[in-house]
Amino acid sequence: MPDSMPQLTLHDSRRRATVPFAPLDPGNVRVYYCGPTVYDLAHIGNLRAMMTADILVRLLRHLYPHVTYVRNITDVDDKINARARANGETIDSLTARTIRDFHDDLAAVGVLPPDVEPRATRHIAEMIALIECLIASGHAYEAQGHVLFAVARFPDYGALSGRSPDDLLAGARVEVAPYKRDAGDFVLWKPSEPGLPGWESPWGRGRPGWHIECSAMSHRYLGESFDIHGGGSDLLFPHHENELAQSQCCFPRGRFANHWVHNAMLLVNGEKMSKSLGNFLTIRDVLADTPAEALRLMLLHAQYRSVLNFTRAGLDEAKQTLNRFYRAVGDLPPDAAGPVPGAVVAAMCDDLNTPRALAEMHGLADRALAGDRDAARGLRAAGQLLGLLGQSADTWFRAGAGVGEAEIDALIAERLAARAARDFARADAIRAGLAERGIVLEDGAGGTIWRRA
Ligand SMILES: [Zn+2]
């Protein structure tokens, strides 16, 4: 690690402050992220969390010699059971297909795989051992075939999410059940009826609750204390609060995660994404008509702790930016990168300030377009740090030049509608986007015609 290495600062949810990041072991930085529950295609909100992890791990790999990145797969869950039954397929077939799709979709967007990707169903023995430990230490109790964590026995419960136990109960949708001592107690293990997945345990045939798997798998692969735990802000409570409670009670000398990173949510056209609003977008929905790199770049437009508003105009802007960056790198091949310019590293070390990093890249593009080859090499290197500019300019523009007539006609119609709605920014963006792809629009008395430049 060079002396001039910039100091990485990261926001820590537990301390509620942006603080310098100091690894427990600079020779092996350890990161855990909560991965998908595998019953359906990943949506772009899921992607934002996976992308935040990706740029964080890419930066850590740039700064430190070795990083161990663990991201789990939740493959036992009531939603999986219900979906498999609704589809009329086996759970194994549903989870195997969904995992394949998840890997394909993330790879398309340039999200690198984790070093370890443990599956919950392969770590039941570790979960049972943790639950036994929690019962033995008085933090959990068995009732009617269930094992529950007793939140009243852990005084620090709520410290991570910053809510008092009373607020937590009022705010959370807590399941009231006769076998619970306290409404806020959460399930570590529950009985499984025949026909549902189940494992033999000291409490009968059953299956784990959701939270215990991350305590078990992070301990198995990263130890009692590790550097960074991350996920979407929706996981802060109750999931991460519960993980922390379990792990701190089992391993009181450890700290569990030293640093908690949570990304803000993603909106679509200013609204929370939901199936009922009709604005629910899977990664595949977006990639059907958008280059994957443009989706990736769009997700970097906002710093990870800011709410990101996903719009078509934002995707178009991302495409324009990539057109500009690829023009700037010109014939420089993807592997001809120079060192990553210090200003770009500094921006990323400023709590993953991707808007600032992209602004620095625009500055490099200015100089590269004016003929500065070093700036072009710097732009290539900055692209590698952010997982962008992974192809030759030729490949990027040829993919764009393959634009078909149906797509052009659809875009012309969309531009007409945008003008009618006085959305001139959108109309201009469509014209500029087509121009970048070698399609020139000409407005005349008889309407809009197009030609290849
Ligand atoms: Zn988790």
Side-chain angles (χ1 to χ4, degrees):
M1 170 169 40
D3 292 340
S4 59
M5 189 181 106
Q7 172 65 54
L8 169 60
T9 60
L10 272 181
H11 189 268
D12 177 22
S13 305
R14 175 150 57 181
R15 281 170 278 190
R16 281 173 267 288
T18 303
V19 296
F21 171 73
L24 297 165
D25 171 7
N28 183 17
V29 179
R30 287 161 291 160
V31 181
Y32 187 92
Y33 252 77
C34 298
T37 301
V38 285
Y39 68 100
D40 207 346
L41 290 171
H43 58 68
I44 55 175
N46 304 137
L47 177 60
R48 190 177 196 203
M50 299 297 100
M51 279 275 302
T52 303
D54 188 57
I55 57 164
L56 171 60
V57 170
R58 283 173 188 263
L59 178 64
L60 291 169
R61 290 196 196 289
H62 180 79
L63 297 174
Y64 297 98
H66 187 72
V67 177
T68 304
Y69 170 32
V70 179
R71 185 186 69 206
N72 71 304
I73 287 178
T74 301
D75 60 352
V76 51
D77 187 277
D78 290 353
K79 288 193 284 288
I80 296 173
N81 302 341
R83 182 62 63 90
R85 192 180 310 146
N87 289 357
E89 70 180 322
T90 66
I91 286 170
D92 282 351
S93 137
L94 172 64
T95 55
R97 184 182 70 251
T98 310
I99 290 169
R100 253 192 335 268
D101 290 343
F102 177 74
H103 287 160
D104 289 350
D105 290 351
L106 289 197
V109 193
V111 173
L112 300 174
D115 300 294
V116 190
E117 192 172 45
R119 292 176 62 158
T121 51
R122 313 280 154 85
H123 297 80
I124 301 291
E126 287 91 336
M127 294 186 224
I128 289 174
L130 280 197
I131 296 169
E132 287 183 307
C133 156
L134 289 169
I135 292 175
S137 64
H139 293 99
Y141 59 94
E142 185 188 359
Q144 298 178 25
H146 294 68
V147 182
L148 291 126
F149 186 93
V151 292
R153 301 302 306 275
F154 182 55
D156 280 349
Y157 192 77
L160 172 62
S161 54
R163 306 188 231 178
S164 77
D166 293 342
D167 295 344
L168 297 179
L169 294 185
R173 278 183 299 147
V174 278
E175 193 191 343
V176 181
Y179 45 80
K180 286 186 180 181
R181 285 183 198 161
D182 264 316
D185 292 353
F186 58 89
V187 169
L188 300 170
W189 189 264
K190 61 186 176 185
S192 258
E193 51 270 43
L196 285 180
W199 291 264
E200 291 309 323
S201 81
W203 319 286
R205 182 177 178 279
R207 60 190 194 274
W210 173 31
H211 314 296
I212 194 69
E213 69 179 74
C214 289
S215 287
M217 294 189 279
S218 61
H219 179 255
R220 160 86 186 265
Y221 295 101
L222 299 176
E224 293 186 5
S225 304
F226 55 94
D227 293 296
I228 298 174
H229 192 321
S233 55
D234 54 325
L235 295 184
L236 182 54
F237 181 82
H239 184 54
H240 287 167
E241 192 74 59
N242 292 353
E243 285 184 22
L244 178 63
Q246 295 160 166
S247 295
Q248 290 271 267
C249 292
C250 268
F251 311 112
R253 278 168 310 186
R255 194 174 151 78
F256 193 45
N258 209 20
H259 208 112
W260 291 83
V261 172
H262 290 99
N263 61 279
M265 67 188 303
L266 175 143
L267 302 177
V268 174
N269 299 321
E271 293 190 278
K272 198 172 168 189
M273 189 164 59
S274 81
K275 285 191 169 144
S276 58
L277 283 175
N279 66 352
F280 189 90
L281 287 173
T282 65
I283 298 171
R284 278 172 194 211
D285 291 333
V286 178
L287 295 189
D289 60 1
T290 302
E293 215 175 330
L295 172 58
R296 182 177 178 95
L297 177 57
M298 205 223 134
L299 292 177
L300 302 177
H301 278 166
Q303 194 250 12
Y304 74 99
R305 286 198 298 124
S306 305
V307 171
L308 177 75
N309 188 23
F310 179 93
T311 60
R312 281 280 149 191
L315 273 185
D316 285 336
E317 190 192 328
K319 274 189 252 180
Q320 304 301 335
T321 298
L322 286 167
N323 285 337
R324 184 164 193 274
F325 286 172
Y326 274 113
R327 271 204 317 275
V329 295
D331 57 3
L332 208 62
D335 57 3
V340 185
V344 176
V345 178
M348 293 304 288
C349 284
D350 173 18
D351 199 20
L352 308 180
N353 192 333
T354 49
R356 194 176 129 197
L358 291 172
E360 294 292 346
M361 289 174 71
H362 273 292
L364 289 164
D366 290 340
R367 286 163 45 206
L369 287 165
D372 181 340
R373 293 289 280 180
D374 284 342
R377 277 188 206 94
L379 183 58
R380 273 274 182 219
Q384 283 178 358
L385 184 64
L386 272 73
L388 294 169
L389 304 179
Q391 45 197 320
S392 73
D394 197 41
T395 307
W396 167 261
F397 286 113
R398 254 192 293 119
V403 55
E405 295 189 9
E407 190 188 348
I408 297 170
D409 289 341
L411 285 167
I412 289 175
E414 194 186 335
R415 174 167 168 266
L416 212 63
R419 284 161 63 119
R422 306 191 63 77
D423 183 355
F424 298 113
R426 172 73 188 138
D428 288 348
I430 292 170
R431 171 197 280 274
L434 282 168
E436 292 284 0
R437 299 162 79 186
I439 304 297
V440 179
L441 300 187
E442 286 166 2
D443 296 315
T448 302
I449 56 166
W450 62 268
R451 60 181 169 79
R452 296 193 191 269

